[in-house]
Amino acid sequence: MPAAPAEPIRFVDLARQQERIRDRIDAAIARTLDHGQYIMGPEIGELERALAEFCGAKHAIAVSSGTDALALVLMAKGVKPGEAIFCPAFTFVATAEVVAWLGATVYFVDVLEDTYNMDPQSLKMAIAQARKAGDRPVGIISVDLFGLPADYDALEPIAREEGLWLLSDAAQAFGARYRGRIAGTFGDATATSFFPAKPLGCYGDGGAVFVEDDEIAEVVRSLLFHGKGTSQYDNVRIGMTGRMDSIQAGILLEKLRIFSEEIEARNLVARRYTELLSGVVETPNVPDGLTSVWAQYTVRVKGADRDAVAARLKEKGVPVAIYYPTPLHRQTAYRHHPVAGNGLPVSERVCSEVFSLPMHPYLDEATQDYIVHALKDAVKG
Ligand SMILES: *Cc1c(COP(=O)(O)O)cnc(C)c1O
């Protein structure tokens, strides 16, 4: 057994990153304090241009959170009661929450066993079911779970054939690649989150909408500012406070400068976990032509008690997290929403098998060795 690290192991180590760029962050915050434009300051436009350039999207719009990014797209699409929107059940609650906000019906779709992303067959079933039940299918929200893009080669044609829009919830996947494309350009629109622990995070809440369509971009920009028209006091639609703070944009600009390097470092950590853990637990699968940004490194134990393994790891000082212990269709607030087919067997099973290991760009090899050994022991019981 390698020696326990001197410092407590962190699940996500934001302190190391801060240490690395603290001077630049301090200077960025100071610039905002100096000019005093806390709302819609020059950092916002600068960040939007940098984000659009990073992923190749036509429009990037800085917003108040990942959840608001999703909601703003749905509002721009005019989502309303009587409409059906299709979401995976194995995701963070925000994906479905925004649909419920607008009074539409969430149809929960199952995920694929090997990627945890939306199962196209289950999606097709759910669309047929919605039509039969008299709910009008309008859109799909796919999720790029744990940082890995969903199966867009299957999902985009289904959306086209069925006449639905496709919104990519890339809250965990900004920077991930899908056959030459980068998250922000999948489907009709993309929402991402800059929550501090996401691969690209700010120091508070933040998010972004990415879209090709000029008209949708303009409507989102209006909605996030109380539905403004030609001026702030001309209100042409019902909107909200959905803006990102200038300070957060300034912080993100500094973090974006090192983001590609950090993605590379995350991939090195992930590759090493996968080498060292093969045969010990089920390691994540990355299909050919795709890359993950490893928001989580999620493994599965089969034939062992997941909760006992997680508890033994915690005893050894290895923080683990369970994303997610309960699929959304089993959550109290969402029980009345329909599910595809006769249930969502994969979503239900993986919820009792998965757990995520410490993952961040600054995880050193000695600490990783300790985690791997602790996990090997924990699985033996
Ligand atoms: C984090 C997350 C969100 C919400 O982002 P916030 O910025 O916390 O509002 C939405 N969807 C998924 C899949 C997420 O992981």
Side-chain angles (χ1 to χ4, degrees):
M1 182 94 206
E7 302 263 309
I9 301 173
R10 294 195 177 101
F11 186 71
V12 174
D13 194 340
L14 295 173
R16 295 249 192 118
Q17 183 202 49
Q18 193 196 95
E19 239 167 67
R20 178 177 170 195
I21 56 169
R22 179 63 188 254
D23 291 357
R24 270 138 58 187
I25 297 276
D26 281 342
I29 294 171
R31 277 196 295 278
T32 309
L33 297 187
D34 287 345
H35 67 56
Q37 294 177 59
Y38 309 119
I39 302 293
M40 293 306 208
E43 294 85 353
I44 298 295
E46 212 185 309
L47 176 68
E48 289 179 340
R49 285 187 293 277
L51 290 171
E53 193 183 333
F54 187 91
C55 68
K58 184 160 185 204
H59 301 280
I61 305 163
V63 303
S64 39
S65 72
T67 305
D68 290 346
L70 291 165
L72 283 159
V73 174
L74 300 195
M75 288 164 76
K77 295 282 185 191
V79 168
K80 56 185 180 296
E83 295 183 337
I85 292 177
F86 305 88
C87 306
F90 187 56
T91 176
F92 181 62
V93 67
T95 313
E97 189 177 31
V98 292
V99 178
W101 280 3
L102 298 173
T105 303
V106 183
Y107 273 74
F108 286 113
V109 172
D110 212 354
V111 295
L112 296 165
E113 177 101 43
D114 56 345
T115 60
Y116 308 119
N117 283 328
M118 189 180 256
D119 175 351
Q121 294 312 318
S122 178
L123 170 64
K124 280 190 193 166
M125 250 190 287
I127 296 170
Q129 267 168 259
R131 290 222 162 88
K132 218 166 154 190
D135 291 321
R136 195 163 80 83
V138 293
I140 303 163
I141 309 180
S142 57
V143 178
D144 302 331
L145 202 71
F146 304 143
L148 179 74
D151 183 358
Y152 289 100
D153 282 347
L155 297 177
E156 286 172 338
I158 295 174
R160 254 194 320 273
E161 282 155 25
E162 301 278 357
L164 311 180
W165 44 257
L166 175 60
L167 166 59
S168 162
D169 178 349
Q172 304 181 5
F174 186 62
R177 287 169 184 266
Y178 187 93
R179 308 194 202 292
R181 292 193 280 164
I182 302 182
T185 62
F186 310 151
D188 299 288
T190 300
T192 199
S193 166
F194 302 123
F195 181 82
K198 307 279 172 164
L200 179 62
C202 55
Y203 290 145
D205 283 305
V209 170
F210 299 92
V211 63
E212 291 301 299
D213 188 296
D214 298 340
E215 198 182 318
I216 295 288
E218 197 181 311
V219 174
V220 167
R221 287 189 188 282
S222 162
L223 286 166
L224 65 78
F225 210 126
H226 301 290
K228 75 178 163 80
T230 51
S231 85
Q232 183 176 345
Y233 300 107
D234 169 34
N235 308 108
V236 297
R237 54 178 67 81
I238 309 227
M240 62 194 268
T241 302
R243 301 171 297 248
M244 178 184 283
D245 296 338
S246 305
I247 283 187
Q248 298 302 345
I251 291 165
L252 281 165
L253 276 163
E254 293 307 325
K255 292 201 183 194
L256 194 57
R257 289 182 212 283
I258 58 166
F259 187 46
S260 294
E261 232 177 277
E262 290 189 333
I263 292 174
E264 201 48 46
R266 285 174 178 278
N267 273 286
L268 288 175
V269 171
R271 267 205 290 284
R272 200 157 179 273
Y273 264 142
T274 298
E275 275 164 33
L276 297 171
L277 289 174
S278 73
V280 180
V281 288
E282 273 195 48
T283 54
N285 170 51
V286 178
D288 282 347
L290 278 63
T291 64
S292 177
V293 289
W294 304 104
Q296 306 298 339
Y297 187 89
T298 301
V299 299
R300 221 143 95 214
V301 283
K302 284 212 158 159
D305 178 348
R306 185 266 317 270
D307 293 337
V309 170
R312 285 197 283 271
L313 278 167
K314 282 183 186 162
E315 269 166 36
K316 293 189 165 116
V318 176
V320 294
I322 293 168
Y323 300 118
Y324 296 91
T326 309
L328 294 186
H329 65 292
R330 297 282 182 203
Q331 296 282 3
T332 309
Y334 295 89
R335 270 183 203 151
H336 58 289
H337 289 272
V339 301
N342 301 319
L344 308 177
V346 179
S347 298
E348 296 198 356
R349 188 167 61 250
V350 296
C351 280
S352 66
E353 293 177 349
V354 291
F355 60 101
S356 305
L357 298 175
M359 166 53 80
H360 57 81
Y362 305 96
L363 188 66
D364 59 78
E365 291 194 358
T367 305
Q368 198 178 17
D369 287 340
Y370 178 82
I371 295 166
V372 166
H373 277 267
L375 178 51
K376 285 180 178 169
D377 283 353
V379 168
K380 277 184 222 141

